[in-house]
Amino acid sequence: MALPGILARNWRLKISALVLAAILWVTMRLSDDRPERLAIPAVEVRVEHVHRDWYLIGDPSPGEVQMSVSGPLGDILRVAMSRPKVAIRVDSVTSADSVLTLMRDWVTGVDRNEVTIEDLHPSTVRLSFGRIKEEEIPVSVRLTGELPETLALVRPPRANLLFINVRGPAQIVDELQTVFLAPFDLGRIDGGGKFEVVVDTTGMAELAVSPMSATLTVDAAPKSRRALVPLQIELPDGGASLDLDSATATVTLLGADQLLEQVEASSLSVRVAAELEAVQAAIGESGEARVALWVEGLPAFVSAEISPDSVTVSEVAER
């Protein structure tokens, strides 16, 4: 009888017998206690802990190794299917660029009572580290907007923190000159007080900042007015040949009462808000110049209104 005919006869029975034989063979092999050896490729290498004064730059190189294990076939197959990893703990760093010899004890997901880790290939891994730095950085307050017209500052708004602790990569910490608080809008308050303001951590994702907020004290009081005796208007230096249509101006101070009370009229002067050359050039073109006035010597948080707020300047008429 031809060979194809023999194979075709009772083919279902023959296939079933073949499958049964394969199952029996696999079962016997898995139950066999004789040691087998298996090379498991692409075992992940990862760093799970780094000393607090350092941080890992990039990934380990190489990021995967081959691991050879031995033991009963069933056990080593289970190890292969459990996707073991090499988990590294770096408790001390002696160099920013380090080469570590991989230890078998670092492998996770392996029952060492049944399976023996023979070797890891390659047996070393290269790690790059950056230094962590912790430093106190000055705090800066940022103000936006203007106080309501009915209020005036008594002193600069101030935070209860002069410095904030910052921890992170040394090269980033070294570049920090100041840590800003979130902008505080003076226009939203209706009086003095203490306000919580968070630290602005924009662009600081790699840094740990502590504390994360500060208390901002805003000393504000009702705005008052105080009129002074008329003050002599002073010409620019060298302007003796110039004449003004008004010799004096009335100055009214605006601010908190406690600041206005401290202002002495003798400490202020009303001046022409222009350089002598510019005034003379304007007079040369039209015979006279209209220039604004300003008050010199005002303390912080005190403003002034001047009446008149400008004067006409001309050359002194010859006699």
Side-chain angles (χ1 to χ4, degrees):
M1 182 180 296
L3 184 60
I6 296 175
L7 293 176
R9 181 180 301 173
N10 299 322
W11 64 272
R12 290 187 179 86
L13 180 62
K14 293 175 181 176
I15 290 178
S16 298
L18 180 62
V19 171
L20 179 60
I23 292 174
L24 289 173
W25 182 85
V26 170
T27 302
M28 291 176 64
R29 290 298 307 274
L30 292 177
S31 61
D32 192 349
D33 290 336
R34 289 178 300 173
E36 299 281 352
R37 185 182 178 95
L38 178 67
I40 304 175
V43 174
E44 180 187 357
V45 177
R46 65 184 181 190
V47 177
E48 293 191 338
H49 168 81
V50 178
H51 188 275
R52 69 183 307 273
D53 291 337
W54 299 84
Y55 68 96
L56 184 67
I57 299 176
D59 296 322
S61 178
E64 295 178 340
V65 295
Q66 177 177 287
M67 180 175 70
S68 296
V69 295
S70 62
L73 181 61
D75 292 327
I76 62 177
L77 288 177
R78 280 191 290 271
V79 168
M81 295 175 64
S82 68
R83 299 181 63 82
K85 297 177 177 59
V86 181
I88 302 174
R89 286 183 59 87
V90 182
D91 294 321
S92 64
V93 176
T94 57
S95 172
D97 189 20
S98 301
V99 176
L100 299 184
T101 299
L102 297 178
M103 309 294 292
R104 300 173 189 176
D105 290 344
W106 294 346
V107 178
T108 64
V110 176
D111 184 353
R112 290 177 175 78
N113 293 324
E114 302 294 340
V115 173
T116 300
I117 300 175
E118 300 291 345
D119 60 50
L120 298 166
H121 181 78
S123 60
T124 61
V125 64
R126 182 178 295 276
L127 302 175
S128 295
F129 300 97
R131 185 173 289 280
I132 293 291
K133 186 173 184 178
E134 189 168 343
E135 191 168 322
E136 289 190 331
I137 305 296
V139 175
S140 293
V141 174
R142 286 186 294 180
L143 304 174
T144 61
E146 300 288 342
L147 283 174
E149 283 297 321
T150 56
L151 294 177
L153 289 174
V154 176
R155 57 181 59 87
R158 60 198 184 279
N160 65 327
L161 298 174
L162 296 179
F163 297 90
I164 282 181
N165 186 272
V166 176
R167 177 179 171 82
Q171 70 271 21
I172 299 178
V173 175
D174 287 339
E175 293 177 355
L176 277 180
Q177 300 299 316
T178 188
V179 174
F180 289 101
L181 299 181
F184 183 82
D185 183 7
L186 292 174
R188 70 180 179 87
I189 65 175
D190 55 10
K194 297 181 181 297
F195 307 88
E196 184 178 6
V197 184
V198 299
V199 176
D200 186 353
T201 57
T202 303
M204 301 172 63
E206 297 182 69
L207 302 176
V209 179
S210 178
M212 289 296 295
S213 65
T215 299
L216 183 69
T217 300
V218 180
D219 289 323
K223 182 183 289 186
S224 297
R225 302 170 65 89
R226 178 189 168 197
L228 302 178
V229 296
L231 300 179
Q232 190 75 26
I233 299 174
E234 300 183 17
L235 287 165
D237 292 339
S241 63
L242 301 178
D243 190 26
L244 304 176
D245 66 346
S246 177
T248 62
T250 300
V251 174
T252 300
L253 303 179
L254 296 89
D257 273 335
Q258 62 193 93
L259 296 182
L260 300 186
E261 293 171 358
Q262 300 171 7
V263 179
E264 298 288 343
S266 59
S267 66
L268 306 178
S269 59
V270 179
R271 296 182 174 274
V272 171
E275 296 293 335
L276 178 62
E277 292 78 5
V279 174
Q280 291 174 331
I283 293 174
E285 291 180 2
S286 58
E288 60 181 23
R290 191 70 181 175
V291 294
L293 300 176
W294 68 285
V295 180
E296 183 179 54
L298 289 173
F301 310 118
V302 173
S303 59
E305 294 177 349
I306 312 172
S307 180
D309 60 1
S310 61
V311 292
T312 300
V313 185
S314 59
E315 291 285 351
V316 176
E318 294 185 2
R319 296 180 180 178

